[in-house]
């Protein structure tokens, strides 16, 4: 398989521009750089029938794109499509550039994470089929957006890295054992014949492994070199290849020095880091998929004559009447026209207590109808729903965060050219100025490269990350992103969600000692017949309470049971006949109404975690700003904020409001750590500089977060911040050690005073020093 001339990735066999390029985007980018220009490229490659790739309707069943077009304001049409064959960032650039040049196009945005193309145009100037044809002519297939279609290419690359890591690990273990024998024999009189035999066995193991396992680094190095840039993979690839080549030469000529162990071991450790980083990046797409999985796959439409039919949500239109059965997710944004029930609205406001709904109440797609059937008048469907908006917020935030550049690569941009230039000057100086034979000059130059092999520099970040991640894992904190520690170290503001994050996320009965015991036991026995969260809280307050018989549940209202003197009710104010102004409610409540007895109020609260106030105080003590963003009501949020010591709090925040608040903080120069758990927190977790989520969080929030912590306490937030700051200091110390090592050994190597054996020992010593320094992170307090 050949490499793409533009990006260096493998060229698929079915590439429309094979064998030179992996995709049309790279071909266009290459031609543009070469001076051909995008317009000329489009004319030559796309409009010429001799070279134009087949359109989707020419090699398969036609697609009716018009059926998926949505009307927007001012005569604007919108179409959401999935791009098949999207290979790299050049594809995104090409598709957006070509569409932007079409008449009538208002906007065209491609999301690399989800492969989604959002296209908007003026209906009076063009149509969907013409625009789709302009992209299809580039060699891409466009289909209506379907989140169930997975990215097979990402899975293939992950498997490639895993195979390379396995091969390098097998070779490193075996070659290291042989190298120990050679090193021991060097000081104990091992004969040349035995040494050469061990070198040849090492070569037979190491060379195929280096050729196979190093492909991800070689490909990356070739790519950036063609683009006129440098990254860490360039010196790594050069050192590995030259070390392997020099070792083979030494082995073939009977020389005493071979460095197969250094080359293959370096590859193995770097592949471990590359594989883990790739898996973390792959989680970005999953966040959107988890959210989209909350959408209903079918909806029951109620016709005017009362008949019912099941249709896909894409066929729903505003004004239709849709039935939402108990236990189903609501398929649309709309308004309840018939029925009363309880709806799990945690997607919207993060609250675990279901919200009662009745005719006239607005409901949203993705929320769960719990108690009884509802008839909903359709207000918005598909891409116009609040659920789709949350997905778009997550995608946009993830794209922004993906621009983070690793610290090691930033250093390598300066380090790599200096090292390469120095090795070249060493070779030329010894050959042309000193007059040494070119073989000897090359040997000295290779010794310089071996001495300056970026083992210590390459391990400066991974070694600390591995030890830091291991320490955090032992304390119940799983770090999912390779750059999370670096971003955590720069945090100066911590923003908490309320329900399930600062609090336990489970309502508990308040002041149960002040409630009449008989009333409490009666209420608990009635509540035992219900699954409502507040009823469950009542049952927990009275362990062993018997289940009352004959309890009737009215969805959205409460419970009722026949008593000796009349009906006993437990539920909302209206259900129990309590006027709204009799008591002020600042939280969830239930009322018990009995004949000939005063009504009894049961107040509930979502209690803060045991160490919430202590953690907030510790954050403030370390000069970190602390804020609280919640979708709950103002009085409830304010009471929680005062209880834990947070002065900056905001209530009634929808998912988009949280994202806007975080963007405002970022615009003010703040580096924000977001800690949240609800479905509604996913966009904010993705938008923050860095994010944490408890293990009890929704799947989508755990996916969007950079780290997940276990347990019922918030102390892991302090631990993660403290370890990240220590790790940042150790990384910078490791860089200093690496540069000090090079500052001492490079002049000696350039002067020809360092033999390959000494170079190998010095290189290994620098790596050991870096690792030993990183190991300090595993001991002591985080702060």
């Amino acid at each position: 398989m050949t490499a793409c001339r533009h990006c260096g990735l493998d060229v698929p066999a079915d590439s429309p521009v094979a064998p030179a390029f992996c995709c049309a985007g790279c071909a266009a980018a290459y031609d543009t750089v070469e001076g051909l220009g995008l317009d000329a490229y489009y004319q030559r490659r796309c409009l010429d029938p001799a070279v134009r790739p087949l359109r989707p309707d020419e090699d398969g069943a036609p697609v009716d794109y018009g059926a998926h077009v949505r009307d927007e304001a001012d005569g604007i049409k919108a179409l959401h499509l999935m791009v098949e064959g999207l290979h790299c960032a050049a594809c995104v650039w090409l598709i957006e550039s070509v569409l932007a040049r079409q008449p009538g196009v208002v906007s065209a945005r491609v999301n690399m994470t989800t492969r989604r193309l959002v296209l908007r145009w003026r209906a009076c100037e063009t149509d969907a089929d013409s625009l789709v044809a302009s992209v299809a002519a580039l060699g891409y297939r466009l289909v209506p957006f379907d989140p169930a279609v997975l990215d097979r290419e990402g899975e293939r690359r992950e498997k490639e890295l895993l195979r390379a890591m396995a091969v390098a690990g097998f070779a490193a273990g075996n070659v290291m054992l042989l190298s120990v024998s050679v090193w021991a024999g060097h000081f104990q009189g091992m004969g040349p014949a035995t040494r050469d035999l061990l070198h040849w066995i090492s070569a037979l193991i190491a060379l195929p492994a280096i050729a196979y396992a190093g492909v991800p680094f070689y490909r990356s190095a070739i790519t950036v070199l063609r683009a006129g840039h440098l990254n860490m993979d360039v010196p790594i690839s050069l050192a590995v290849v030259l070390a392997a080549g020099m070792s083979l030469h030494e082995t073939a000529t009977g020389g005493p020095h071979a460095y197969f162990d250094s080359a293959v071991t370096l590859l193995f450790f770097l592949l471990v880091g590359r594989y883990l980083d790739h898996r973390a990046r792959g989680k970005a797409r999953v966040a959107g998929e988890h959210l989209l999985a909350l959408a209903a796959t079918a909806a029951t439409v109620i016709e005017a004559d009362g008949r019912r039919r099941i249709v896909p949500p894409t066929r729903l239109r505003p004004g239709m009447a849709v039935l939402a059965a108990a236990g189903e997710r609501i398929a649309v944004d709309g308004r309840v026209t018939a029925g009363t029930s309880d709806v799990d609205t945690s997607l919207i406001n993060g609250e675990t207590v279901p919200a009662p709904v009745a005719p006239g109440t607005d409901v949203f797609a993705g929320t769960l109808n719990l108690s009884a059937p509802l008839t909903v008048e359709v207000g918005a469907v598909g891409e116009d729903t609040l659920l789709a908006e949350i997905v778009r917020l997550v995608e946009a935030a993830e794209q922004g965060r993906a621009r983070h550049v690793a610290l090691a690569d930033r250093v390598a941009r300066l380090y790599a050219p200096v090292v390469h230039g120095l090795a070249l000057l060493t070779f030329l100086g010894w050959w042309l100025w000193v007059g040494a034979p070119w073989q000897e000059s090359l040997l000295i130059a290779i010794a310089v490269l071996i001495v300056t092999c970026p083992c210590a520099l390459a391990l400066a970040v991974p070694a600390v990350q591995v030890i830091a991640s291991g320490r955090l894992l032992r304390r119940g904190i799983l770090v999912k992103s390779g750059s999370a520690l670096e971003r955590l170290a720069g945090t100066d503001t911590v923003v908490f969600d309320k329900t399930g994050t600062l609090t336990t996320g489970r309502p508990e009965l308040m002041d149960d000692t002040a409630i009449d015991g008989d009333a409490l036991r009666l209420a608990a026995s009635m509540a035992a017949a219900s699954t409502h969260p507040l009823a469950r809280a009542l049952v927990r307050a009275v362990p062993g309470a018997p289940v009352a018989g004959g309890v009737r549940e009215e969805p959205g209202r409460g419970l009722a049971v026949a008593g000796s003197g009349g009906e006993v009710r437990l539920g909302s104010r209206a259900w129990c006949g309590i006027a709204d102004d009799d008591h002020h409610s600042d939280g969830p409540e239930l009322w018990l109404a009995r004949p000939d007895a005063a009504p009894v109020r049961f107040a509930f609260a979502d209690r803060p975690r045991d160490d919430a106030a202590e953690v907030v105080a510790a954050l403030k003590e370390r000069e970190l700003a602390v804020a609280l963003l919640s979708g709950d009501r103002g009085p409830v949020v304010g009471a929680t904020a005062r209880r834990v010591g947070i002065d900056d709090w905001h209530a009634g925040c929808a998912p988009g409001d949280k994202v806007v608040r975080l963007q405002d903080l970022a615009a003010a120069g703040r580096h924000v750590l977001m800690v949240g758990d609800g479905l509604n927190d996913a966009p904010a977790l993705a938008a923050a500089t860095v994010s944490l989520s408890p293990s009890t969080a929704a799947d989508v929030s755990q996916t969007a977060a950079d780290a997940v912590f276990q347990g019922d306490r918030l102390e892991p937030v302090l631990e993660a911040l403290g370890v990240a700051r220590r790790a940042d200091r150790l990384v910078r110390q490791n860089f200093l050690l690496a540069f000090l090592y090079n500052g001492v050994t490079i002049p000696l190597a350039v002067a020809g005073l360092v033999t390959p054996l000494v170079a190998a020992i010095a290189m290994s010593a620098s790596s050991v020093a870096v690792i030993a320094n990183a190991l300090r992170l595993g001991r002591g307090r985080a702060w």
Side-chain angles (χ1 to χ4, degrees):
M1 185 174 289
T2 59
C4 175
R5 292 171 61 184
H6 178 69
C7 71
L9 297 177
D10 292 338
V11 177
D14 59 351
S15 171
V17 285
F21 303 100
C22 65
C23 61
C26 285
Y30 184 84
D31 286 346
T32 301
V33 171
E34 293 297 313
L36 177 63
L38 181 60
D39 291 327
Y41 167 83
Y42 186 69
Q43 292 290 330
R44 178 167 64 86
R45 291 192 184 270
C46 303
L47 302 183
D48 184 352
V51 299
R52 180 174 60 85
L54 292 176
R55 288 177 49 179
D57 56 356
E58 294 172 341
D59 64 349
V63 178
D64 181 12
Y65 296 102
H68 301 277
V69 173
R70 302 184 184 278
D71 295 322
E72 296 187 352
D74 302 326
I76 302 297
K77 301 285 187 178
L79 183 60
H80 292 251
L81 299 167
M82 177 178 289
V83 185
E84 294 183 0
L86 201 63
H87 197 73
C88 61
C91 298
V92 175
W93 166 80
L94 176 61
I95 293 171
E96 292 182 350
S97 299
V98 168
L99 285 173
R101 294 165 185 260
Q102 306 303 312
V105 172
V106 176
S107 66
R109 299 295 298 172
V110 178
N111 186 293
M112 186 71 183
T113 298
T114 58
R115 306 293 196 255
R116 186 202 298 237
L117 166 62
V118 181
L119 182 60
R120 291 183 172 85
W121 69 93
R122 288 181 287 273
C124 60
E125 298 183 38
T126 187
D127 56 55
D129 289 338
S130 298
L131 296 176
V132 169
S134 67
V135 178
L138 300 172
Y140 303 98
R141 180 176 173 83
L142 299 181
V143 296
F145 184 76
D146 180 5
V149 178
L150 300 177
D151 182 8
R152 301 299 181 188
E153 182 63 19
E155 183 179 348
R156 183 190 67 81
R157 293 179 186 175
E158 182 176 311
K159 290 182 178 179
E160 177 191 38
L161 284 173
L162 186 60
R163 288 193 297 266
M165 183 173 62
V167 170
F170 170 81
N174 286 277
V175 173
M176 190 60 70
L177 289 175
L178 294 169
S179 298
V180 170
S181 301
V182 173
W183 282 54
H186 177 77
F187 298 101
Q188 298 178 13
M190 176 183 289
T194 304
R195 182 198 63 209
D196 292 346
L197 175 62
L198 293 177
H199 281 171
W200 276 115
I201 297 175
S202 298
L204 289 174
I205 298 173
L207 291 178
I210 291 171
Y212 178 81
V215 167
F217 301 100
Y218 309 150
R219 184 191 297 134
S220 172
I222 293 172
T223 299
V224 296
L225 287 174
R226 283 177 174 171
H229 302 290
L230 292 171
N231 67 357
M232 183 66 77
D233 292 337
V234 174
I236 288 174
S237 300
L238 189 58
V240 167
V241 170
L242 288 178
M246 185 64 188
S247 299
L248 181 61
H249 177 269
E250 285 282 298
T251 301
T253 57
H257 310 300
Y259 320 104
F260 297 115
D261 55 340
S262 299
V264 74
T265 303
L266 175 62
L267 274 180
F268 172 67
F269 282 110
L270 292 174
L271 281 167
V272 171
R274 187 68 55 92
Y275 173 75
L276 295 176
D277 180 69
H278 188 273
R279 283 187 62 86
R281 292 172 186 267
K283 295 296 184 180
R285 184 187 68 254
V286 181
E289 291 173 356
H290 275 309
L291 277 172
L292 290 170
L294 298 174
T297 57
T300 302
V301 175
I302 303 176
E303 303 286 6
D305 57 4
R307 291 184 302 169
R308 300 179 183 181
R309 61 188 177 95
I310 298 176
V311 300
T314 53
R315 294 190 179 182
L316 296 175
R317 295 292 181 268
M320 287 184 172
V322 174
L323 175 66
E328 286 185 349
R329 290 199 178 274
I330 298 174
V332 298
D333 285 3
R335 179 165 295 178
V336 176
T337 58
T340 58
S341 183
D342 296 294
V343 175
D344 179 0
T345 59
S346 58
L347 172 65
I348 309 303
N349 56 23
E351 296 309 305
T352 56
V353 178
V357 297
T361 305
D362 291 331
V363 292
F364 300 94
T367 55
L368 184 63
N369 182 24
L370 297 175
S371 306
L374 295 172
T375 301
V376 180
E377 180 183 349
V378 177
V381 295
E383 295 298 326
D384 298 325
T385 63
L386 182 59
L387 175 62
E389 178 63 23
I390 294 175
V391 173
R392 287 191 288 271
L393 289 170
V394 173
E395 291 174 355
E398 284 171 343
Q399 281 188 314
R401 192 174 62 185
R403 290 192 290 268
H404 180 84
V405 181
L407 181 60
D409 271 348
R410 295 203 296 267
V411 174
R413 290 175 185 173
L414 298 176
Y415 173 83
V418 172
V419 169
H420 298 157
L422 185 61
L424 177 61
L425 289 176
T426 300
F427 171 74
L428 295 176
W430 279 92
W431 182 34
L432 300 178
W433 185 44
V434 179
W438 71 268
Q439 296 92 338
E440 182 181 346
S441 301
L442 181 60
L443 181 65
I444 296 174
I446 291 177
V448 172
L449 273 178
I450 293 174
V451 160
T452 57
C453 176
C455 293
L457 185 61
L459 290 172
V461 176
V464 173
Q465 285 185 339
V466 168
I467 295 170
S469 299
R471 170 174 176 154
L472 292 175
L473 186 61
R474 290 192 299 272
R475 286 162 173 78
I477 306 168
L478 174 63
V479 179
K480 299 163 44 188
S481 170
S483 61
L485 290 172
E486 183 182 346
R487 287 180 278 126
L488 268 171
T491 297
D492 55 23
T493 303
V494 181
V495 175
F496 288 99
D497 172 51
K498 182 183 74 70
T499 304
T501 304
L502 269 181
T503 66
T504 60
R506 189 174 68 172
E508 300 291 346
L509 180 64
M510 298 175 60
D511 299 327
D512 54 347
T513 57
I515 301 174
D516 177 69
D518 292 336
L520 181 58
R521 284 188 292 273
L522 173 59
S525 65
M526 294 177 64
S530 174
T531 59
H532 192 283
L534 296 184
R536 295 292 87 196
L538 262 181
V539 173
R540 287 194 299 270
V542 187
V547 181
V551 176
R552 184 180 82 257
E553 183 166 3
E554 292 289 334
R557 297 181 180 181
L559 306 172
V561 65
S564 57
E567 187 175 65
V568 179
R569 291 186 174 187
L570 175 69
S572 66
R573 289 171 176 264
W575 177 242
C576 295
I578 310 299
D580 287 343
D581 57 356
D582 282 356
H583 293 274
H584 177 70
S585 173
D586 60 357
E589 62 178 3
L590 289 177
W591 287 84
L592 178 68
R594 297 168 294 175
D596 301 325
V600 178
R601 178 175 181 261
F602 302 97
F604 300 86
D606 187 6
R607 301 182 188 277
R609 293 178 185 253
D610 292 340
D611 64 340
E614 178 184 343
V615 168
V616 170
L619 291 172
K620 289 182 176 181
E621 183 181 346
R622 290 163 176 81
E623 299 183 348
L624 294 171
V626 183
L628 171 60
L629 301 179
S630 175
D632 205 351
R633 295 175 295 116
V636 178
V637 178
T640 302
R642 289 188 294 272
R643 189 167 180 178
V644 300
I646 297 178
D647 301 321
D648 181 11
W649 57 271
H650 300 267
C653 296
D657 298 331
K658 294 185 179 183
V659 173
V660 170
R661 177 59 180 165
L662 294 181
Q663 290 173 342
D664 291 341
L665 289 172
R670 312 294 293 184
H671 299 276
V672 182
L673 164 62
M674 176 70 194
V675 188
D677 78 310
L679 293 168
N680 62 318
D681 295 320
L685 291 169
T689 308
V690 64
S691 54
L692 292 174
S693 181
S695 59
T696 55
D699 287 345
V700 63
S701 295
Q702 293 190 40
T703 300
D706 294 295
V708 177
F709 62 88
Q710 303 280 341
D712 297 327
R713 299 173 63 82
L714 282 177
E715 189 273 337
V717 175
L718 289 176
E719 178 74 13
L721 286 169
V723 169
R725 292 191 174 186
R726 281 193 63 192
D728 183 68
R729 291 195 297 270
L730 290 174
V731 165
R732 297 180 187 279
Q733 291 172 11
N734 281 346
F735 281 132
L736 179 60
L737 287 173
F739 285 121
L740 286 176
Y741 153 78
N742 286 311
V744 173
T745 57
I746 288 177
L748 298 177
V750 171
L753 301 176
V754 176
T755 66
L757 177 62
V758 173
I761 294 174
M763 180 182 63
S764 300
S766 67
S767 300
V768 170
V770 164
I771 294 174
N773 186 52
L775 286 172
R776 296 194 299 122
L777 184 59
R779 303 185 301 272
R781 295 177 59 85
W783 290 86

